[in-house]
Amino acid sequence: MEKDIIDLNLNGRVFRLKRSTFLRLPNTSLEHGEDIHGEVYMERHADSFDAILWYYTNGELHMPNSICPAVFKKELEFWSVEPNKLSQCCYIKYLSFFEDQKLLKTFQEDEKKSTGMGKSVKTGRSKLGKCPSKVWRILDEPSSSVAAKIYVAMSAFVILMSIFVLCVSTHPAFQRELKDDELEAFYSSEPEKLQLFKGLRNTNLKTSNSNENKVLPVPQVKVVHHNDTVASDPENSTAGLLPPNTVARFRYLDYLDYAMVTFFGIELVIRITFSPKKSKFFSSLLNIIDVIALSSEVSTMIVEYIFPKEKYTKFSALDIVECIQIARVFRLFRLVKNFIGFRILVYSVRASLKNMLLMIFNLLVAALIFSSIVFYSDRASFQSIPDAIWWSIVTMTTVGYGDSYPKNIPGRFLGCLCAISGIFVIAVSIPVLVNNYVLFTGFANLPINRNSEGLSSLLRYEFDSRKEKKRSQETEPMTSVQNMR
């Protein structure tokens, strides 16, 4: 009876198997497997073998919760078991683990590329040879030195000031009527009107000089800008000559703009000069945004200098160029690109892009269905199907502006279904983005992974760390004795 039993020892854990069961296992039935007696020792994972043995004896394969799927995969390969033999309850968990590993590998590779650009600079032994690397670290790695932190703080201040100037320049509180020199520049392209303007200005000056001892009411000029009334400047002798639809911002905002454009221009030149890889620099989206923002600002200033009328006219062809200046807002991303939280958010969106596109597609399909039905159900509330599409998208995204809505009973019933379906579409897709964000956040907080260096490097690291620990323990008693003496 003992001849029919074989003891299989896996790293100290013994499994007593029938000979017939043992011979069914791959990598154990040798050429003379029938002659095997006693105990067979193998260096394999014992806990994984429990599940594999159950598969060979009962035909069901389950992955234990206490085992890493990566370890279980190696054991399946050794025992010649296909992963698709796993039961459905475990196969989903098995696949999701390796899908997450693919995402994490991509995240790790991108992190190495993004953080290793400054380290790739070839430096010489002299101080002059190390200068490009030091300058680039200051520009691209905020935590590398005190100078880098100062530069980041200064750059952040200038970027925020640039955005502040862009925003307040459109507010009536930071706008005024045109001065005499600005009005003269405004009419410079029209000689007839310029002569008329100068004549009226001289007339106003004579009138003001003759009535200088009289108390005259201050004239009011209404500037067509958000229906606001702007008081005229008493010192402006041509206050009544202000053309319609013209406005000028305070001049200190212009000076701030000039200073910031100079700063960004010098910064861009320095970054291009000291960039270790010019091709990578110009292929970066953030650097392209910098170039576009700076180009739009410089071109706007040039056009305003050549054509002053475009500068002071509220609605002109220059608005198209000025609209591009919104790119200066995207400079904020260059400040936060070195923060791990921002990069995690970018990787999470990138990893969830397919699911988000699927969500948008489902949202549009549902919007088309509900808008078509509600348009024919309540034609008094919607002028066209595009108007109904706007209502359905606003309703499904739970925004609800209330500018258009169905009024009869069938339309309101469809509105309820539209809102509920929108919640379902969004609720199913958004958790994918959240899960990826949590996954990347957890991975970013892990210490350096040394397993990727290979087994020999791992053993060498472990040996050196133990040797260093032993050496420190030996020196501690000697130090204590010397202190006592």
Side-chain angles (χ1 to χ4, degrees):
M1 185 67 180
E2 291 295 332
K3 293 181 179 181
D4 295 333
I5 299 298
I6 294 178
D7 293 334
L8 181 60
N9 189 333
L10 301 181
N11 286 339
R13 184 176 172 184
V14 180
F15 295 84
R16 305 204 72 187
L17 307 177
K18 292 181 180 180
R19 182 176 294 276
S20 58
T21 302
F22 178 81
L23 294 177
R24 286 203 305 268
L25 297 175
N27 296 318
T28 58
S29 54
L30 307 177
E31 294 181 0
H32 303 286
E34 295 82 357
D35 300 329
I36 295 176
H37 300 284
E39 184 177 280
V40 178
Y41 180 81
M42 301 181 70
E43 292 183 346
R44 303 307 307 174
H45 196 266
D47 293 339
S48 298
F49 184 72
D50 266 335
I52 295 170
L53 181 61
W54 182 263
Y55 168 72
Y56 275 105
T57 55
N58 296 279
E60 293 183 1
L61 182 61
H62 297 274
M63 183 177 66
N65 292 326
S66 59
I67 299 176
C68 176
V71 176
F72 194 68
K73 180 183 179 181
K74 292 182 179 180
E75 294 302 309
L76 291 178
E77 292 175 354
F78 179 81
W79 298 109
S80 300
V81 180
E82 295 294 331
N84 55 12
K85 302 296 183 182
L86 277 164
S87 58
Q88 291 184 358
C89 57
C90 299
Y91 192 55
I92 296 175
K93 181 174 65 175
Y94 180 86
L95 290 178
S96 62
F97 172 82
F98 289 103
E99 288 295 328
D100 292 343
Q101 293 303 306
K102 289 180 182 178
L103 293 177
L104 293 178
K105 186 178 180 180
T106 305
F107 173 73
Q108 190 176 18
E109 291 175 353
D110 290 345
E111 279 293 288
K112 289 181 180 179
K113 292 179 182 179
S114 61
T115 57
M117 188 175 178
K119 298 178 182 179
S120 62
V121 184
K122 294 182 179 180
T123 59
R125 295 183 179 180
S126 63
K127 293 183 178 180
L128 185 61
K130 296 180 180 179
C131 181
S133 176
K134 291 182 179 179
V135 173
W136 182 253
R137 286 180 179 273
I138 293 174
L139 295 174
D140 202 58
E141 299 180 16
S143 59
S144 60
S145 62
V146 178
K149 294 179 181 178
I150 295 174
Y151 163 74
V152 168
M154 181 174 61
S155 181
F157 174 76
V158 177
I159 290 174
L160 293 176
M161 283 297 299
S162 176
I163 297 173
F164 171 78
V165 171
L166 176 66
C167 296
V168 301
S169 297
T170 61
H171 195 276
F174 292 85
Q175 295 174 344
R176 57 175 175 78
E177 61 187 26
L178 275 64
K179 302 291 185 180
D180 285 355
D181 56 338
E182 294 170 341
L183 282 169
E184 187 172 350
F186 181 86
Y187 289 121
S188 60
S189 61
E190 303 176 71
E192 296 180 358
K193 292 185 179 180
L194 179 61
Q195 292 297 329
L196 178 62
F197 159 73
K198 289 181 178 180
L200 290 175
R201 182 179 62 179
N202 294 331
T203 303
N204 288 341
L205 287 174
K206 292 178 181 179
T207 304
S208 60
N209 291 332
S210 61
N211 297 327
E212 59 182 358
N213 296 326
K214 298 180 181 180
V215 180
L216 298 176
V218 179
Q220 300 290 327
V221 179
K222 187 172 183 180
V223 180
V224 183
H225 187 77
H226 300 294
N227 297 325
D228 291 332
T229 301
V230 181
S232 66
D233 187 359
E235 299 179 358
N236 192 351
S237 59
T238 55
L241 303 176
L242 187 65
N245 294 326
T246 55
V247 70
R249 63 181 182 179
F250 291 114
R251 289 183 176 177
Y252 68 85
L253 296 178
D254 293 332
Y255 300 145
L256 286 175
D257 240 352
Y258 299 150
M260 288 179 292
V261 168
T262 304
F263 174 85
F264 289 132
I266 295 173
E267 181 193 41
L268 183 61
V269 172
I270 294 175
R271 291 178 69 87
I272 294 174
T273 304
F274 292 96
S275 173
K277 294 181 180 179
K278 301 296 188 295
S279 59
K280 186 175 181 180
F281 180 87
F282 287 105
S283 62
S284 173
L285 179 61
L286 296 178
N287 294 328
I288 293 174
I289 290 173
D290 273 348
V291 174
I292 293 174
L294 186 62
S295 302
S296 65
E297 293 170 10
V298 173
S299 59
T300 300
M301 291 179 180
I302 294 174
V303 173
E304 288 178 349
Y305 179 79
I306 299 175
F307 305 103
K309 190 172 185 179
E310 299 292 332
K311 178 179 179 180
Y312 303 118
T313 304
K314 288 188 295 183
F315 309 105
S316 65
L318 192 61
D319 293 343
I320 300 175
V321 181
E322 290 180 344
C323 183
I324 306 176
Q325 291 194 31
I326 195 66
R328 69 172 73 180
V329 178
F330 294 100
R331 286 193 179 113
L332 290 172
F333 292 120
R334 184 156 57 82
L335 292 178
V336 298
K337 72 173 184 177
N338 291 296
F339 293 98
I340 188 64
F342 173 74
R343 293 202 298 271
I344 288 174
L345 180 61
V346 173
Y347 292 131
S348 301
V349 173
R350 187 188 304 173
S352 310
L353 188 59
K354 292 182 180 179
N355 299 90
M356 295 180 69
L357 291 176
L358 180 61
M359 179 193 70
I360 295 173
F361 176 77
N362 293 334
L363 197 68
L364 292 176
V365 171
L368 287 172
I369 294 174
F370 282 108
S371 60
S372 301
I373 298 175
V374 78
F375 171 73
Y376 292 108
S377 300
D378 191 358
R379 302 193 68 164
S381 302
F382 301 98
Q383 297 180 356
S384 62
I385 291 181
D387 292 335
I389 291 175
W390 164 256
W391 163 81
S392 59
I393 292 177
V394 169
T395 303
M396 294 180 71
T397 54
T398 68
V399 176
Y401 288 117
D403 53 347
S404 59
Y405 54 90
K407 298 180 176 61
N408 58 17
I409 295 178
R412 291 180 178 180
F413 177 73
L414 288 171
C416 294
L417 295 180
C418 183
I420 295 172
S421 63
I423 293 174
F424 286 151
V425 171
I426 296 175
V428 169
S429 304
I430 293 300
V432 178
L433 175 63
V434 177
N435 291 336
N436 288 332
Y437 184 82
V438 173
L439 175 67
F440 289 136
T441 303
F443 181 76
N445 294 328
L446 292 177
I448 298 174
N449 184 14
R450 299 186 179 272
N451 293 333
S452 58
E453 301 176 2
L455 181 60
S456 60
S457 301
L458 181 63
L459 294 176
R460 171 59 62 182
Y461 172 76
E462 187 68 22
F463 174 77
D464 293 339
S465 61
R466 290 185 180 182
K467 188 177 180 180
E468 186 66 26
K469 184 178 181 181
K470 184 178 180 181
R471 185 182 301 172
S472 62
Q473 290 176 352
E474 291 176 353
T475 55
E476 284 181 359
M478 295 179 62
T479 307
S480 60
V481 171
Q482 291 177 358
N483 292 334
M484 290 176 66
R485 289 179 180 179

